[in-house]
Amino acid sequence: MRAKFYELYSGLVRLHVLYHATREPVFGFGMIEELNRHGYKLGPGTMYPLLHGMEKRGWLKSNKEKAGGRSRRVYVATRTGRQALKAGQERVRELFKELTEDES
C-alpha cells in the first residue's frame, strides 16, 4: 500500500488485524507478511504503532511470548475488539453493496 493511500485504507488494515486476532494470536511481523499478501505494504514503523493504538483502544490485548529464544509480543482480540469487528463487517458489507450497485 502506498503511503499516500494509508489514511484511506487504515480502517481496512485495522479490520484485517482484528479478523485475524479473533482467530488466533497475531504478532507484528506476521501481520506485516499477511497484509503484504493482500497488497498492503506496511513496515514495522506503521504496524507496531497501529497494534499499540488498537491495544490502547481496548480492541486487542497483548502478552510477551518466547519464540525461538526470542521474546515477542502477541495480540488477541478482546470482547470490545470482537464487537468492533462485527460492526466493521456490517459496514463493509453495506459499502461493498453500494460500491457494486452500478455493476449489476
Side-chain angles (χ1 to χ4, degrees):
M1 167 174 57
R2 297 161 94 187
K4 67 181 179 180
F5 295 121
Y6 179 73
E7 273 190 53
L8 179 62
Y9 298 136
S10 65
L12 295 174
V13 169
R14 286 178 177 83
L15 286 173
H16 207 108
V17 169
L18 278 175
Y19 171 80
H20 285 282
T22 62
R23 279 144 183 81
E24 63 186 359
V26 299
F27 58 99
F29 186 70
M31 283 309 309
I32 289 171
E33 289 180 326
E34 169 64 21
L35 290 164
N36 280 342
R37 283 193 287 277
H38 294 280
Y40 298 97
K41 304 296 182 211
L42 299 172
T46 301
M47 178 54 65
Y48 292 104
L50 184 136
L51 290 169
H52 297 154
M54 291 176 72
E55 186 172 27
K56 198 175 237 184
R57 286 183 178 92
W59 297 339
L60 300 174
K61 66 179 177 181
S62 70
N63 292 302
K64 283 190 177 181
E65 287 186 0
K66 292 279 187 187
R70 301 178 88 191
S71 181
R72 73 176 170 202
R73 188 162 293 279
V74 296
Y75 297 84
V76 295
T78 63
R79 175 193 247 177
T80 303
R82 292 176 196 283
Q83 291 169 342
L85 175 62
K86 185 176 179 183
Q89 286 171 317
E90 291 170 9
R91 289 199 169 100
V92 166
R93 279 187 206 99
E94 181 182 319
L95 176 60
F96 182 77
K97 183 179 175 187
E98 189 172 312
L99 289 173
T100 58
E101 271 179 355
D102 296 336
E103 295 176 10
S104 313

